[in-house]
Amino acid sequence: MAKIDAIMGWKELDLGCVIRQPGSSRAFKTGDWRSQRPVVDRDKCIKCGLCWVYCPDLSMVPAEEGYYKVNLDYCKGCGICAKECPKDAITMVLEED
Amino acid sequence: MAKRIGMEVSIAASEAVKLADVDLIAAYPITPQTHIVEHLAEVVADGELDAAFVPVESEHSAMSCCIGSSAAGARTFTASSSQGLALMHEMLFIAPAMRLPIVMVVANRALSGPISIWNDHSDIMAEQDIAWIQTFAENGQEVFDLVLHAFRVAEDSKVLLPMIVNMDGFTLSHVIEPIEILDKAEVDKYLPPYKPKVRLDPRKPVSMGLVGVPEIYTEAKKATNEALINSKKVVVKAWKEFGDLFGRYYNPVESYKTEGAEVILITMGSISETAMTAIDKMREKGLPVGLVRFRLWKPFPATEFKKAIAGAQTLAVVDRALSPGGACGPVAEEIKAALYAERGRPKVFNFIAGLGGRDVTVENFEEIVSRAFTYAKKRPKQLYEMIGVREI
């Protein structure tokens, strides 16, 4: 269910909370409890794609010119991309910073 | 109308399931429920009932299978007891949350330990919060009638919740009683085919049983609870229609000789019949006693109950399960909570009796009533007491 639907009242729920629209989980942004987010330094990035390979939530996505960017709708801030990056091109920064 | 024939009550229960023309039965044998599903396996194998009989490897699987079957839109039945019901536990909550009208007969039996195959209500009282509609039968005819009623109520488009018919193990399940078995045409008049509002269908895909994130879980629970509370209207209406068609009328709460009663006994299940015999005996002696018994247990019929006990100063509530470490037995607890806000509420005394198959006799009821009269004058120290326990 989409974030916007999650504020629906109990009378608005479908019978047994059934979901009739396929693929609706895409509308559910799961990244809202992240405490840190990855920031990519393109000066250091060699476009190897390891962050894309290792991200457990498919939140590293191919971007223009062969670079990769973060999809913050789903990124949980786990830091695996930063850990795996062979060039230390990814830094985890606190969300509130 | 059919004539009454001598029949084991378990067989009568399965005859009702057969007449309801169920599509799927998934069950695992457990004493004292076994005869119900054994007979159903026979009628399916003999071609008398066109249904799938799934002999699963456990009760957990039985309920899982029933959930899948009901989600696919099939009329679904199972039965269990005691440890088997306990093994279903985690799946039991899923069926009402998904609004699946599964019908189950529970042949009530004590929970271990010590190991006991005999009758009491500890199995079902451990499942108080599963959000299933629950009725309790008093005799064989009621078991037959309540099973048909259960399908009618559970599948009603205003309800769509699973339903349990409780019947006392052995005391009812293994006893041969004169029972009027309705014929198929009569049952068809009462029970229309099940028309699911939503079901698993590859041509029209839906997702069921999904995660309820913190933003939605509370609303989902509220929705199911409201459906359960509101189901009472349909429970009552379906009993009225049953009575109009077949002449046997049922109510959520039944009263027996409560006019002018100072002490009212409260019971549930088959001991109610013994209690009525005890009431007759005590009334003959001039004692102002009556009986109120629950047929509907969940949703708890508080309004009907308060009406039934109006005027009595003292209630003697008989529980057939212990709530260890708690304030009293589960039935008394519900009653006390329902009466707390009432002005001039009666005194409520609680007696635990008939655990693990111990008989509850006419003499036991006389003793309970006698104590209730005494306690009404002088409040006892304990919140409840166990009847017939050897204090040595």
Side-chain angles (χ1 to χ4, degrees), chain A residues 4-17:
Chain A
I4 194 151
D5 295 334
I7 53 167
M8 60 206 300
W10 69 269
K11 291 176 193 168
E12 299 168 307
L13 291 174
D14 207 334
L15 186 78
C17 294

Side-chain angles (χ1 to χ4, degrees), chain B residues 45-357:
Chain B
D46 291 348
E48 288 175 42
L49 172 65
D50 181 19
F53 188 95
V54 188
V56 286
E57 78 277 30
S58 79
E59 287 84 354
H60 189 280
S61 304
M63 189 44 60
S64 304
C65 183
C66 287
I67 287 168
S69 157
S70 190
R75 183 170 280 171
T76 303
F77 176 81
T78 189
S80 197
S81 278
S82 184
Q83 309 304 115
L85 186 67
L87 188 50
M88 278 181 187
H89 180 74
E90 67 164 323
M91 299 314 296
L92 291 173
F93 294 81
I94 315 274
M98 288 170 64
R99 305 293 296 277
L100 303 175
I102 299 161
V103 170
M104 168 157 67
V105 170
V106 176
N108 300 115
R109 160 185 153 182
L111 278 174
S112 303
I115 296 168
S116 169
I117 60 162
W118 294 279
N119 168 231
D120 72 21
H121 292 171
S122 57
D123 57 357
I124 196 62
M125 289 306 163
E127 307 295 349
Q128 275 203 82
D129 300 326
I130 53 175
W132 287 51
I133 305 169
Q134 293 193 33
T135 54
F136 271 82
E138 228 172 83
N139 56 43
Q141 186 67 58
E142 270 192 34
V143 169
F144 178 83
D145 296 349
L146 292 185
V147 169
L148 293 173
H149 172 257
F151 283 108
R152 177 76 162 65
V153 173
E155 294 171 359
D156 189 295
S157 63
K158 291 189 199 74
V159 177
L160 291 169
L161 283 170
M163 191 152 167
I164 289 174
V165 176
N166 287 286
M167 70 161 175
D168 286 313
F170 295 111
T171 323
L172 288 180
S173 67
H174 284 53
V175 167
I176 293 171
E177 289 194 16
I179 296 169
E180 186 190 306
I181 303 293
L182 300 169
D183 64 39
K184 186 76 178 88
E186 289 174 312
V187 171
D188 287 348
K189 265 188 276 173
Y190 181 65
L191 185 63
Y194 172 39
K195 287 202 188 82
K197 269 190 181 170
V198 56
R199 65 188 190 93
L200 295 176
D201 180 353
R203 288 164 301 183
K204 209 178 166 190
V206 295
S207 301
M208 290 183 174
L210 299 170
V211 173
V213 290
E215 290 88 342
I216 215 73
Y217 185 87
T218 307
E219 282 70 22
K221 294 313 260 189
K222 165 102 181 172
T224 309
N225 191 37
E226 287 293 320
L228 180 61
I229 293 164
N230 289 327
S231 72
K232 194 175 75 179
K233 290 178 210 131
V234 178
V235 168
V236 172
K237 189 168 156 268
W239 270 331
K240 168 79 168 55
E241 284 176 25
F242 189 93
D244 290 345
L245 279 171
F246 310 122
R248 288 186 295 277
Y249 288 91
Y250 296 114
N251 296 297
V253 169
E254 300 286 354
S255 301
Y256 185 71
K257 298 190 176 176
T258 50
E259 311 80 41
E262 283 173 31
V263 170
I264 291 182
L265 264 174
I266 314 290
T267 56
M268 201 154 70
S270 64
I271 60 163
S272 307
E273 301 219 322
T274 317
M276 281 189 268
T277 309
I279 296 290
D280 289 344
K281 204 173 157 194
M282 289 184 276
R283 279 279 185 179
E284 271 170 34
K285 289 179 190 163
L287 275 175
V289 291
L291 174 74
V292 165
R293 52 204 205 273
F294 288 98
R295 184 167 293 109
L296 179 64
W297 170 232
K298 292 291 163 84
F300 186 74
T303 315
E304 291 82 354
F305 177 74
K306 284 176 201 167
K307 209 173 147 200
I309 55 111
Q313 292 101 330
T314 308
L315 306 183
V317 183
V318 182
D319 258 293
R320 300 211 51 203
L322 191 61
S323 184
C328 55
V331 180
E333 197 176 303
E334 202 71 57
I335 288 171
K336 284 183 177 183
L339 294 176
Y340 185 75
E342 299 295 306
R343 289 166 67 111
R345 60 178 184 261
K347 290 172 179 167
V348 180
F349 303 112
N350 185 208
F351 303 88
I352 315 289
L355 296 187

Side-chain angles (χ1 to χ4, degrees), chain B residues 345-380:
Chain B
R345 60 178 184 261
K347 290 172 179 167
V348 180
F349 303 112
N350 185 208
F351 303 88
I352 315 289
L355 296 187
R358 189 168 298 187
D359 284 336
V360 187
T361 62
V362 169
E363 291 70 30
N364 288 147
F365 284 117
E366 286 179 301
E367 185 189 345
I368 288 166
V369 167
S370 149
R371 287 191 196 184
F373 272 112
T374 310
Y375 296 157
K377 290 188 201 105
K378 190 172 183 293
R379 186 165 278 278

